[in-house]
Amino acid sequence: MERWVLYATLSMLFAGFTSVIAKMGMEGISAELGLSVRTLFVCGFVFVFALMFVDPAELPRLNGRSLMWLCISGATTALSWIFYYKAIKEGQVATVALIDKGSVVVAMILAWILLREAITPRMAIGATLIVSGLLVMVRR
């Protein structure tokens, strides 16, 4: 198995735990407070991770263009987290998580438009299945 597949699988598993654990942690508090506490912990955790694994010689290679795109990515991440936490606070975790995974289709389309990544027939079928699953789960 390629290393990136392992990383993606671990990401999937931890993300699944994250949603359920977050909902449990927000019992009696607002989504905003829950997200704030989680984000502070994530910030500290990632900062320690960076101190351990980022070679300081790499820092000068961080240019304005990279910084701009990473900051925009941070802003979209923050907005995603804000709305995700509000959704899991009020809704069912499994349904919210499934809708959130619709981001796969959004990412696929944006990668095709902005990065010129190919959309293969297999990917198109997968995207169709994701959207179909979303419709089945969301419809009452």
Side-chain angles (χ1 to χ4, degrees):
M1 175 186 321
E2 294 184 55
R3 187 177 296 189
W4 68 267
V5 175
L6 173 63
Y7 292 156
T9 303
L10 289 170
S11 173
M12 173 193 68
L13 292 172
F14 284 119
F17 276 101
T18 297
S19 302
V20 174
I21 294 167
K23 179 137 185 161
M24 292 168 65
M26 286 189 290
E27 190 174 317
I29 64 169
S30 68
E32 293 79 12
L33 178 58
L35 175 61
S36 298
V37 170
R38 174 195 184 242
T39 302
L40 286 172
F41 181 82
V42 168
C43 182
F45 190 86
V46 171
F47 187 72
V48 170
F49 180 82
L51 287 174
M52 291 171 49
F53 295 104
V54 174
D55 181 358
E58 186 178 352
L59 291 175
R61 295 196 307 253
L62 186 62
N63 60 37
R65 180 177 166 82
S66 294
L67 194 57
M68 175 192 72
W69 286 116
L70 291 170
C71 288
I72 292 170
S73 174
T76 58
T77 297
L79 290 169
S80 173
W81 287 2
I82 287 167
F83 292 115
Y84 188 83
Y85 265 64
K86 289 176 104 36
I88 64 171
K89 177 69 178 173
E90 296 179 22
Q92 293 184 334
V93 172
T95 305
V96 171
L98 178 63
I99 293 169
D100 182 64
K101 295 314 172 219
S103 64
V104 171
V105 178
V106 174
M108 186 185 316
I109 293 167
L110 288 174
W112 175 64
I113 293 169
L114 300 174
L115 303 175
R116 306 289 188 248
E117 292 185 6
I119 296 179
T120 65
R122 181 178 53 110
M123 291 170 68
I125 291 168
T128 302
L129 290 171
I130 290 170
V131 171
S132 299
L134 288 171
L135 294 174
V136 167
M137 292 283 288
V138 174
R139 286 217 151 140
R140 296 187 186 257

